[in-house]
Amino acid sequence: MRNIDPATLEHLPSRVQYLRDFIGFTNQDAAALHAARPVVAPLVPVVVDAVYVKLLSFDITSKPFVPRQTGYTGKSPVRLEDLSGDHPQIKFRKGFVASYLAKLVTMNYDSDASWEYLDKVGFMHTGVAGFTHRAKKPGLRVEYIHCAILLGFVEDIVVDAVATHPDLDIDTKTAVIRALNKVLWIQNDLFARHYIQDADVLANKITLDKPTALAAMCALVMLGAAFVRYFAPY
């Protein structure tokens, strides 16, 4: 039985290694994703359009696209009713989603930088001021429920396309679908970790903080006693 210290899951490489080991994401899975590039690449524009049709079909998932997006220099929408798949700001956002999908079938899964990128995809949606380019701008927060369900929506589209592809044999289809499922579940966790605090990790932090808090309390008591002695009337 392997021992996993909950505190190590706060460290991204350790967390990713645990996730990979648990779900069984192997080098063979990475190879299957790379081999799927010729199948997935033509799907990217279709998937991206479908993603924004879905997002703009609900007001709750449309609202984050009204404020000016970082890096966008054109005319921003003023109200929800201005949004459409053809709006310049939405087209600007589509480029990021297309780049993300392309990375899933091209990135080096043995590189820490690749997992750092997937982790930042999660973090950037929290609205926390963690990026230099957004230091003086209001947070753009998208709640976790929308991020998670969108991953499921994207997976459904790609899985259907792979499963029904006329030129792929059953073994290839199975390998690609399994690999995609694994990496998107890892991506889901790399969203969740920025929204949800694990109870055992929080408890560990509290335990570690107790000595510091106790020392601070003792210091305050001693300071108070010294203050009384110094100013007490003779």
Side-chain angles (χ1 to χ4, degrees):
M1 179 181 293
R2 291 175 55 186
N3 174 259
I4 302 294
D5 183 350
T8 65
L9 300 181
E10 292 291 281
H11 181 237
L12 181 62
S14 300
R15 188 183 191 96
V16 168
Q17 190 60 57
Y18 166 70
L19 294 170
R20 291 187 62 162
D21 291 346
F22 194 103
I23 206 168
F25 184 83
T26 65
N27 291 334
Q28 288 72 31
D29 290 310
L33 289 173
H34 293 159
R37 182 180 180 180
V39 176
V40 174
L43 293 175
V44 168
V46 176
V47 174
V48 171
D49 284 343
V51 162
Y52 279 90
V53 167
K54 180 62 69 173
L55 290 173
L56 297 179
S57 66
F58 296 91
D59 60 351
I60 197 169
T61 49
S62 297
K63 290 176 181 178
F65 299 109
V66 174
R68 178 177 296 277
Q69 306 292 294
T70 300
Y72 175 69
T73 57
K75 183 179 180 181
S76 295
V78 177
R79 53 184 184 169
L80 284 178
E81 291 76 14
D82 295 335
L83 291 173
S84 72
D86 294 326
H87 191 284
Q89 182 156 274
I90 295 300
K91 288 183 177 180
F92 175 77
R93 293 302 310 171
K94 285 182 177 182
F96 288 96
V97 178
S99 175
Y100 171 80
L101 293 173
K103 283 180 179 292
L104 291 181
V105 291
T106 59
M107 68 170 50
N108 178 5
Y109 286 100
D110 288 329
S111 168
D112 286 345
S114 295
W115 297 107
E116 288 168 3
Y117 165 77
L118 295 180
D119 187 58
K120 287 178 181 177
V121 169
F123 179 74
M124 69 188 294
H125 289 82
T126 63
V128 176
F131 294 100
T132 303
H133 67 274
R134 292 211 56 84
K136 297 181 180 180
K137 298 177 181 178
L140 293 174
R141 182 178 177 87
V142 179
E143 296 302 333
Y144 171 67
I145 182 174
H146 313 305
C147 300
I149 202 63
L150 182 62
L151 286 176
F153 178 76
V154 169
E155 181 173 14
D156 180 60
I157 296 174
V158 179
V159 164
D160 180 65
V162 172
T164 59
H165 199 285
D167 300 328
L168 299 179
D169 59 71
I170 187 64
D171 290 340
T172 301
K173 290 178 180 180
T174 301
V176 172
I177 289 171
R178 292 188 66 196
L180 180 69
N181 179 66
K182 292 175 185 179
V183 77
L184 287 182
W185 269 101
I186 294 174
Q187 175 70 90
N188 181 63
D189 177 76
L190 298 181
F191 270 96
R193 73 186 291 254
H194 297 295
Y195 290 85
I196 303 167
Q197 178 68 71
D198 292 348
D200 48 5
V201 173
L202 182 61
N204 186 57
K205 286 182 177 179
I206 292 174
T207 300
L208 291 174
D209 287 345
K210 280 182 178 178
T212 302
L214 182 60
M217 184 177 295
C218 291
L220 285 173
V221 170
M222 293 174 65
L223 180 62
F227 181 86
V228 170
R229 286 197 302 270
Y230 184 82
F231 288 101
Y234 293 102

